[in-house]
């Protein structure tokens, strides 16, 4: 691949070993990579294991029992007898009840970021027709001040959300052309929205999942991401509840299978590949790192994917690993690269077998993401937990990636060593590109098998 020299605004912020840096710009070209059958099987297993840690934590959390009346505070406006537990569901507003609102709030259980909430919801009016078989919608409320019996829940388009300035609301808006999802602050000001007619389920149960971090809120409908809002989440209050309301259109609004998770959990790793012939000492070019060019799994050109893990690499920090194929800059080698601030600051690790006392050459390519500030692009390279160097670069004047190759000489102290790539820039969801990482033995005799 043709490369041309460019300084790209790189700064080296300290080293612990001898460092040689070659400055280059990579012009990435899509390349097809042939994989051996065993590698294809491994990739298939890794792709299956990409469930969100929050989704897994919720699946492992038991649903809250609606018939435990002491667990919930119930409020209503012109909605006598409701909300009401009916078997496994909670009916917030029944059919054919106009101008009504109902809400339930967790009782004596403060909820503060980070956390995740998930529940199924259903809306219908079997006797309605035209626009009247729907209703105004539901809302998940969190970060709220405690409500009392004196509070009047708004009906109609208010969706039982009291705009007192506290917390947030994830609104499932059902009526009219604005059917979809809406995220508001406590004053009712819209922070983000997504139109989606599928929110009106018409007797079908749909699943809403909301993941709340200290620096953002994500909203999923039936497992598909709808809203990904970034901002500092105000945790002054800790109340959490679910409400619904009708105006002239008066459909039933019900929920079931309400789950709450206060800590994310990673699903167990899939079993490793079946025993087979031992691998060679290294890749054909001597690289001891597996998937150092990040070409697995293969993505379509112009696409990206947020993954729980990558073949060969383990995620030690961050929500996900973002893999890109010519999305906002070309790769240094092959077609793909990783962005270590795809959602938040991410750390990647890979352990390799080494020979005690042997010396190795650790080489990698680093670039700022085009259009980002230097503070968004910070990388620390670690060997067995020790910071070897810190890199920083500005992408503000870049129209494409500007790759810097850094070569580090390291020594193994034991039979296993760890390579670690840590994003230390601002956690903005954008920045810190890495590609073409390799580790090759340069002294101390023949290296061990990977």
């Amino acid at each position: 691949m043709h490369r041309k020299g460019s300084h790209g605004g790189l700064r080296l912020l300290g080293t612990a070993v001898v460092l040689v840096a070659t400055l280059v710009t990579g012009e990435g070209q899509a390349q097809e990579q042939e994989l051996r059958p065993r590698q294809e099987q491994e990739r298939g297993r890794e792709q299956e294991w990409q469930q969100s840690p929050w989704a897994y934590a919720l699946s492992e959390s038991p649903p809250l029992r609606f018939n435990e009346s002491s667990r919930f505070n119930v409020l209503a406006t012109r909605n006598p007898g409701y909300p009401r537990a009916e078997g496994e569901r909670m009916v917030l507003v029944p059919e054919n009840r106009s101008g009504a609102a109902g809400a339930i709030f967790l009782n004596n259980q403060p909820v503060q970021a980070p956390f995740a909430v998930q529940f199924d919801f259903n809306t219908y009016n079997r006797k309605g027709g035209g626009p009247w078989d729907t209703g105004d919608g539901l809302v998940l409320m969190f970060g709220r001040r405690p409500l009392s019996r004196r509070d009047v829940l708004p009906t109609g388009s208010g969706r039982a959300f009291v705009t007192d300035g506290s917390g947030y609301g994830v609104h499932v808006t059902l009526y009219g052309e604005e059917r979809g999802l809406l995220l508001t602050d406590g004053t009712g000001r819209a922070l983000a929205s997504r139109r989606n007619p599928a929110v009106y389920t018409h007797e079908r149960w749909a699943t809403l999942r909301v993941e709340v971090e200290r620096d953002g809120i994500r909203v999923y409908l039936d497992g598909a991401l709808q809203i990904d809002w970034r901002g500092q989440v105000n945790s002054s209050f800790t109340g959490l509840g679910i409400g619904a309301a009708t105006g002239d259109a008066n459909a039933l609004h019900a929920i079931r299978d309400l789950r709450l998770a206060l800590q994310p959990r990673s699903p167990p790793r899939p079993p490793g590949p079946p025993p087979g012939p031992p691998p060679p000492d290294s890749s054909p070019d001597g690289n001891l790192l597996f998937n150092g060019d990040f070409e697995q799994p293969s993505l379509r050109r112009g696409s990206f994917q947020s993954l729980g893990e990558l073949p060969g690499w383990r995620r030690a920090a961050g929500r996900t690993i973002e893999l890109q194929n010519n999305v906002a800059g070309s790769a240094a080698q092959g077609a793909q690269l990783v962005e270590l601030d795809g959602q938040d600051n991410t750390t990647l690790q890979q352990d390799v077998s080494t020979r005690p006392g042997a010396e190795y050459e650790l080489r990698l390519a680093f670039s700022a993401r085009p259009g980002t500030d230097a503070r968004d692009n910070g990388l620390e390279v670690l060997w067995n937990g020790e910071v070897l160097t810190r890199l920083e670069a500005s992408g503000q004047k870049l129209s494409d990636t500007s790759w810097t190759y850094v070569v580090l000489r390291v020594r193994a102290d034991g039979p296993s060593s760890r390579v670690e790539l840590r994003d230390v820039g601002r956690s903005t969801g954008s920045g810190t590109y890495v590609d073409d990482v390799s580790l090759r033995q340069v002294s101390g005799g023949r290296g061990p098998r990977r």
Side-chain angles (χ1 to χ4, degrees):
M1 177 170 46
H2 174 70
R3 294 187 176 96
K4 59 183 179 180
S6 170
H7 286 275
L10 174 82
R11 287 199 297 164
L12 306 178
L13 305 179
T15 60
V17 295
V18 176
L19 171 66
V20 180
T22 304
L23 307 180
V24 295
T25 298
E27 299 175 0
Q29 299 176 353
Q31 297 179 349
E32 295 289 335
Q33 183 177 27
E34 296 181 358
L35 301 176
R36 293 172 297 191
R38 186 177 178 187
Q39 291 174 327
E40 289 281 8
Q41 294 171 8
E42 291 177 0
R43 184 178 70 180
R45 278 189 291 269
E46 291 289 347
Q47 286 179 309
E48 291 174 2
W49 187 62
Q50 292 168 8
Q51 188 178 8
S52 159
W54 280 117
Y56 182 73
L58 288 164
S59 70
E60 293 293 297
S61 301
L64 304 183
R65 298 174 62 88
F66 292 128
N67 59 3
E68 295 178 356
S69 58
S70 62
R71 183 141 202 183
F72 298 97
N73 287 327
V74 177
L75 288 85
T77 298
R78 293 194 293 277
N79 192 21
Y82 290 89
R84 185 171 75 188
E86 297 180 354
E88 295 183 351
R89 73 177 186 176
M90 172 69 75
V91 177
L92 299 170
V93 181
E95 287 181 87
N96 301 310
R97 186 164 293 184
S98 302
I104 60 172
F105 285 84
L106 283 181
N107 188 26
N108 298 322
Q109 183 172 356
V111 179
Q112 196 168 27
F115 67 90
V117 179
Q118 179 174 291
F119 59 89
D120 297 339
F121 68 91
N122 194 351
T123 58
Y124 61 86
N125 188 335
R126 286 165 291 197
K127 296 181 181 180
W132 311 112
D133 64 352
T134 181
D136 284 272
L138 305 93
V139 58
L140 171 68
M141 302 171 271
F142 54 91
R144 304 288 283 166
R145 70 168 178 84
L147 295 181
S148 69
R149 298 285 179 180
R150 295 189 299 273
D151 286 292
V152 177
L153 300 178
T155 61
S157 59
R159 288 177 289 275
F161 187 77
V162 177
T163 54
D164 59 5
S166 69
Y168 302 86
V170 176
H171 300 252
V172 182
T173 59
L174 301 176
Y175 189 79
E177 295 298 319
E178 300 305 317
R179 284 180 177 174
L181 293 158
L182 171 68
L183 173 66
T184 73
D185 64 13
T187 68
R189 179 175 63 96
L191 302 177
S193 64
R194 175 75 175 269
R195 289 191 60 189
N196 189 336
V199 296
Y200 178 52
T201 64
H202 195 63
E203 297 193 68
R204 178 183 66 85
W205 289 96
T207 301
L208 184 74
R209 183 172 88 241
V210 178
E211 301 173 355
V212 182
E213 304 279 359
R214 293 183 179 89
D215 60 353
I217 300 168
R218 294 181 301 277
V219 181
Y220 297 80
L221 180 66
D222 289 332
L225 180 63
Q226 304 291 307
I227 292 175
D228 188 356
W229 176 78
R230 291 297 180 139
Q232 190 67 33
V233 174
N234 188 333
S235 298
S236 300
F237 296 98
T238 58
L240 183 145
I242 303 172
T246 60
D248 293 332
N250 49 20
L252 172 141
H253 298 65
I255 61 173
R256 72 178 185 187
D257 198 20
L258 172 61
R259 298 169 185 257
L260 173 66
L262 303 179
Q263 292 290 338
R265 289 183 58 191
S266 296
R269 290 186 63 88
D281 287 350
S282 65
S283 62
D285 63 355
N287 186 6
L288 298 175
L289 292 173
F290 182 74
N291 196 27
D293 55 6
F294 304 110
E295 297 299 302
Q296 299 182 37
S298 179
L299 305 182
R300 295 189 308 274
R301 184 178 178 87
S303 67
F304 73 95
Q305 191 169 0
S306 295
L307 306 172
E309 298 290 329
L310 283 180
W313 295 94
R314 179 175 62 256
R315 174 171 50 91
R319 298 191 192 108
T320 59
I321 305 166
E322 183 165 307
L323 187 66
Q324 297 184 9
N325 185 325
N326 289 276
V327 173
S330 54
Q333 175 65 38
Q336 299 184 174
L337 58 90
V338 292
E339 182 173 24
L340 291 184
D341 193 7
Q343 289 193 355
D344 57 359
N345 288 0
T346 304
T347 299
L348 297 186
Q349 296 176 345
Q350 185 168 154
D351 294 334
V352 296
S353 296
T354 52
R355 173 169 294 181
E359 292 187 345
Y360 297 83
E361 180 182 278
L362 176 58
R363 181 175 182 266
L364 60 94
F366 164 72
S367 174
R369 175 170 174 146
T372 59
D373 188 84
R375 293 173 295 173
D376 302 327
N377 299 277
L379 173 68
E380 284 184 347
V381 183
L382 295 85
W383 174 258
N384 292 329
E386 178 184 0
V387 178
L388 302 179
T389 189
R390 178 174 177 177
L391 310 174
E392 184 180 277
S394 173
Q396 288 186 333
K397 297 182 180 180
L398 297 179
S399 58
D400 195 4
T401 44
S402 179
W403 291 103
T404 296
Y405 271 85
V406 176
V407 180
L408 303 164
R409 185 68 65 91
V410 295
R411 183 183 299 274
D413 296 326
S416 178
S417 300
R418 174 172 295 174
V419 175
E420 189 169 342
L421 308 174
R422 178 190 298 166
D423 180 23
V424 292
R426 291 190 302 183
S427 182
T428 61
S430 183
T432 311
Y433 281 179
V434 181
D435 195 12
D436 200 14
V437 188
S438 63
L439 181 71
R440 295 177 174 88
Q441 185 172 332
V442 294
S443 71
R446 179 172 176 166
R449 297 183 186 275
R450 276 191 299 146

